[in-house]
Amino acid sequence: MLTETTRTLVKATAPVLQAHGVALTTHFYARMFQHNPELREVFNQGHQRNGAQQQALAMAVAAYAEHIDNPGVLMPVLERVAAKHVSLGIRSEHYAIVGRHLLASIAEVLGEAATPELIDAWAAAYGQLADIMIGMERALYDESATREGGWTGWRTFRVRRKQPESEEITSFELEPADGGKVPHYRAGQYVSIRVVVPELGYRQPRQYSLSCAPGQDHLRISVKRERDPAQQAEGMVSNFLHGHVAEGDLIEVAPPVGDFYLHEDRDSPVVLVSAGVGITPMVAMLERLVQTGSRRPVRFLHAARHAGVQAFGARVGELIEQLPDGQAWIVHELAQDGQGAGAAQRHAVGRLDLAALTGTPLLPPDADHYVCGPVGFMAEQIRALRGRGVPAERIHAEAFGTGGVPA
């Protein structure tokens, strides 16, 4: 238990962290990679280059300081972080390294304001947080290791099939190179992939949603090639997979994890809302609903820029037809007929507007809503759902990269 003095000192730093947290976390990562360069293979350097990792950590540290009296408030966030840590192979011994560099960074960035008492308080607070995270991650590692076909850490898979799905998205079917089984997972969860990126000269991880239902002899990820120069750093692994990984090649895969998945313990209607490559976990959920013979009403709402980048259009249509009460609504921002098979599956041109669909059969009442896509898109859809009075517990969201789910 933390003392009252410790909690008071840590809480007092919350405003400073909110204002200057990114400077602190930027210094922290630079320091850690300088002294422990092996950790560059654990933390995605694309997220480092675009500042996403620094921003995410700064927000997390500030939130922990603010809620130090009751860290249980942060449990949903901590559970999400624990899953990502397990997917990246972070172990208990890494916490000592991170703690050492975090405390040193606080002292170096805050200068004279970082009194010995404050450093001691943060050491105790970090120790409490580390214990919480290590316990949560141990449970996830144990669960992964003990299920049939399961493993922890990295396992070698072979690319069995490489299949273009659109101008930008390509699917990779992955089978265990050891000939073993694939574990059961929840439709919507993700895996980490690790490959050597030539421009860096070392291995890099990247997380991808699984785009097929569980219960098969393989895993499938569907990856977007990043052509936008602003996204090149973040897309290093994705572009490597597109350009350099062929059928028969071997890659390292971490076990499936994640708290964004289809809830199969209820009979409520299902509304799947996605944009761009955010369609990938939704296809897995749709396949799962068909696979289990679900009779739940299902609505599949998807937005893409145009027909050429529309992935899984025909597949979605096939799956919807197999459901007793399924409907799809696919919207393209631009009408480019004749450019890609996705044009045949388009229902409207423009932007996906949930507010305009209120009161239609496409948004049944009392549904569970699953949202995945770029952060701006997700924030817009979640605002629309809340504006309709949908309770928070009926909105499930998955964000790309290191960012959090929009509030």
Side-chain angles (χ1 to χ4, degrees):
M1 294 291 293
L2 300 179
T3 67
E4 180 64 30
T5 299
T6 294
R7 294 198 302 272
T8 299
L9 285 168
V10 170
K11 280 191 294 184
T13 63
V16 176
L17 293 172
Q18 290 167 354
H20 306 290
V22 174
L24 171 64
T25 56
T26 299
H27 182 89
F28 157 74
Y29 278 116
R31 190 183 202 283
M32 184 172 67
F33 293 141
Q34 178 186 359
H35 293 277
N36 293 90
E38 72 278 6
L39 293 181
R40 293 179 303 176
E41 293 194 349
V42 176
F43 296 90
N44 183 282
Q45 296 303 299
H47 295 155
Q48 290 290 318
R49 291 183 183 182
N50 66 19
Q53 192 77 60
Q54 295 90 330
Q55 181 68 38
L57 180 60
M59 293 173 61
V61 172
Y64 181 60
E66 182 180 358
H67 297 286
I68 192 68
D69 284 332
N70 182 20
V73 173
L74 302 175
M75 195 55 64
V77 175
L78 298 182
E79 290 174 349
R80 183 176 294 260
V81 172
K84 288 186 178 294
H85 282 182
V86 169
S87 184
L88 294 172
I90 292 176
R91 302 283 179 169
S92 59
E93 57 267 25
H94 291 129
Y95 280 90
I97 299 172
V98 170
R100 181 170 68 252
H101 292 299
L102 180 61
L103 294 176
S105 296
I106 292 174
E108 291 162 2
V109 173
L110 297 187
E112 294 182 358
T115 63
E117 293 78 14
L118 179 62
I119 297 301
D120 288 344
W122 262 105
Y126 176 79
Q128 173 183 267
L129 178 61
D131 288 343
I132 293 172
M133 296 302 301
I134 290 170
M136 295 171 64
E137 290 159 18
R138 183 184 300 115
L140 291 175
Y141 278 123
D142 289 345
E143 177 187 355
S144 180
T146 56
R147 60 187 168 184
E148 186 178 15
W151 76 97
T152 66
W154 300 97
R155 183 180 178 188
T156 303
F157 277 67
R158 180 176 292 103
V159 178
R160 183 169 75 182
R161 186 183 184 205
K162 184 177 180 180
Q163 173 66 42
E165 306 290 358
S166 75
E167 294 174 5
E168 294 181 336
I169 297 174
T170 293
S171 289
F172 297 79
E173 285 188 9
L174 310 173
E175 60 183 4
D178 57 20
K181 294 184 177 181
V182 172
H184 182 81
Y185 56 89
R186 296 181 175 99
Q189 291 187 306
Y190 60 84
V191 294
S192 281
I193 301 297
R194 190 168 69 172
V195 296
V196 175
V197 176
E199 63 189 276
L200 296 176
Y202 50 82
R203 294 175 296 186
Q204 280 290 274
R206 191 72 160 87
Q207 291 163 337
Y208 298 101
S209 297
L210 292 164
S211 61
C212 65
Q216 305 183 62
D217 64 351
H218 66 277
L219 303 175
R220 184 178 71 189
I221 58 172
S222 300
V223 180
K224 177 187 175 186
R225 181 193 292 272
E226 293 294 352
R227 302 182 188 276
D228 184 351
Q231 301 296 324
Q232 288 295 309
E234 188 171 350
M236 284 188 293
V237 175
S238 298
N239 289 352
F240 178 82
L241 290 173
H242 273 266
H244 300 282
V245 174
E247 292 179 354
D249 287 351
L250 302 177
I251 59 176
E252 294 179 294
V253 183
V257 292
D259 62 353
F260 178 72
Y261 53 81
L262 178 69
H263 293 266
E264 300 185 50
D265 58 347
R266 56 196 70 174
D267 58 6
S268 56
V270 176
V271 178
L272 307 174
V273 184
S274 60
V277 74
I279 196 172
T280 54
M282 306 311 194
V283 171
M285 293 183 189
L286 197 57
E287 287 188 354
R288 180 62 175 172
L289 289 161
V290 171
Q291 183 186 73
T292 58
S294 175
R295 304 196 64 80
R296 300 165 69 178
V298 178
R299 305 293 180 262
F300 194 98
L301 313 179
H302 180 70
R305 295 198 315 280
H306 55 77
V309 298
Q310 169 69 57
F312 296 110
R315 178 59 175 160
V316 168
E318 294 170 359
L319 293 167
I320 287 293
E321 289 182 358
Q322 297 178 58
L323 293 167
D325 184 4
Q327 294 184 50
W329 183 256
I330 295 178
V331 180
H332 294 164
E333 189 171 354
L334 303 173
Q336 295 188 9
D337 294 318
Q339 294 193 22
Q345 286 81 40
R346 184 178 62 228
H347 297 93
V349 174
R351 296 178 64 84
L352 182 60
D353 185 355
L354 294 187
L357 298 177
T358 299
T360 72
L362 287 170
L363 289 179
D366 303 321
D368 274 284
H369 302 77
Y370 299 85
V371 186
C372 186
V375 172
F377 168 85
M378 293 175 59
E380 180 182 348
Q381 308 313 316
I382 291 173
R383 281 195 300 269
L385 291 172
R386 289 183 174 173
R388 292 181 54 240
V390 178
E393 62 269 20
R394 291 290 188 177
I395 302 175
H396 318 281
E398 176 75 293
F400 297 156
T402 63
V405 175

